[in-house]
Amino acid sequence: MGNVVINVGMKEILEMKSYYSMHLVDKLPPGSVFAAKTPSCMITAYKSGKVLFQGNGSEQEAGRWGGNPAPASAKVAKGDLPAGIGGMSVIGSDEVGTGDFFGPITVVAAYVKKEHIPLLKELGVRDSKDLNDEKIIEIAKVIKDVVPFSLMTMKNEKYNQVQQSGMSQGKMKAILHNQAILNVLGKISPEKPEAILIDQFVQAGTYFQHVKSQKAVAKENVYFSTKAEGIHLAVAAASILARYAFIQYIDKLSEAAGFKIPKGAGAQVDVAAAKLILSKGRDVLPSFVKLHFANTDKALAIVNKKR
Ligand code: MN
């Protein structure tokens, strides 16, 4: 649990205050301008221009403001994101399904103009991990007509084929993110985003290594951050749309299977895959699951026990 202190101007402090408006706390320490408490971080901004971040998410939160690290700070703020990125017009991208045994990988890039940020907030767009499927569907149905976006779905057959040919999941993701971003850039052209923010799954250098053989690569103003859903609503919107697509796909698989397909990669998917093999045969597996997961062998072991 780290503490980070950055030094910023009053303009930035007011910007931060509005950014954290949902999380402001009433009780202010002496000399402070505002204090806010997010699920991962306590933020206190002082009239002196010092802003203190405390808690697990302190580096993450401080990183989005990019102020000068104060000399006394134990840790240096990341500062690799443009200051105030949370209020810019941004293309965000995120993916869903990489850790799920059943179902595809869905990647969405979405463009959220700064004018649309209040509306999206109003609609309840936030970290999709805090939202249940019902809420995801409800929000996705509205925002899909508000924000320009591109959905890339890597279906299971293709995924297994590409994976068996030796491509890492990281490379697949990078290619899908790049393509989704290019699609959105094409859709909004000649307008350009002020920044492109990718929910980070590999280091920037690795990402660009992965996509270097692609016909076109989005490079200009591309930034990476972990937990980027919390940095700009474009990533949160992308994540909601990606999860919506994933849920819909799982529904289709459930229909084809004749029973409800579970998400994740826990014991419940082993049981479901075994049930699928017993009713439809082993040959259908490649169109339902990510074969290289350890769950495949576990499902087969269950089948063998039952036979
Ligand atoms: Mn992500």
Side-chain angles (χ1 to χ4, degrees), residues 93-96 129 177 199-201 227 229 235 239:
S93 72
D94 199 7
E95 82 282 329
V96 171
K129 284 165 202 87
H177 274 266
D199 191 39
Q200 187 162 11
F201 52 94
K227 296 180 189 155
E229 294 190 351
V235 182
S239 145

Side-chain angles (χ1 to χ4, degrees), residues 114-236:
K114 54 176 152 237
E115 303 90 272
H116 278 149
I117 293 173
L119 171 68
L120 293 192
K121 272 189 190 161
E122 190 75 22
L123 291 171
V125 174
R126 57 195 156 98
D127 195 332
S128 73
K129 284 165 202 87
D130 298 340
L131 301 167
N132 60 26
D133 284 359
E134 214 181 9
K135 198 78 195 158
I136 292 275
I137 293 167
E138 187 191 310
I139 298 172
K141 281 183 177 167
V142 182
I143 61 172
K144 71 179 174 44
D145 300 321
V146 177
V147 299
F149 73 97
S150 168
L151 162 69
M152 303 295 295
T153 303
M154 177 79 117
K155 294 179 183 172
N156 294 86
E157 296 92 335
K158 182 77 188 286
Y159 177 97
N160 290 317
Q161 228 176 343
V162 172
Q163 195 277 328
Q164 279 157 13
S165 79
M167 191 188 286
S168 69
Q169 209 194 52
K171 183 164 181 176
M172 285 184 225
K173 282 194 267 186
I175 292 171
L176 295 168
H177 274 266
N178 178 60
Q179 192 55 53
I181 290 164
L182 289 173
N183 292 346
V184 175
L185 283 169
K187 276 188 187 182
I188 66 171
S189 171
E191 192 173 330
K192 277 188 174 189
E194 290 173 272
I196 297 171
L197 181 60
I198 300 176
D199 191 39
Q200 187 162 11
F201 52 94
V202 283
Q203 292 301 313
T206 309
Y207 174 88
F208 286 115
Q209 187 66 27
H210 283 332
V211 295
K212 74 163 193 252
S213 57
Q214 298 297 298
K215 263 183 244 140
V217 176
K219 278 187 186 144
E220 205 183 326
N221 285 333
V222 172
Y223 298 91
F224 299 85
S225 175
T226 55
K227 296 180 189 155
E229 294 190 351
I231 293 176
H232 197 284
L233 282 187
V235 182

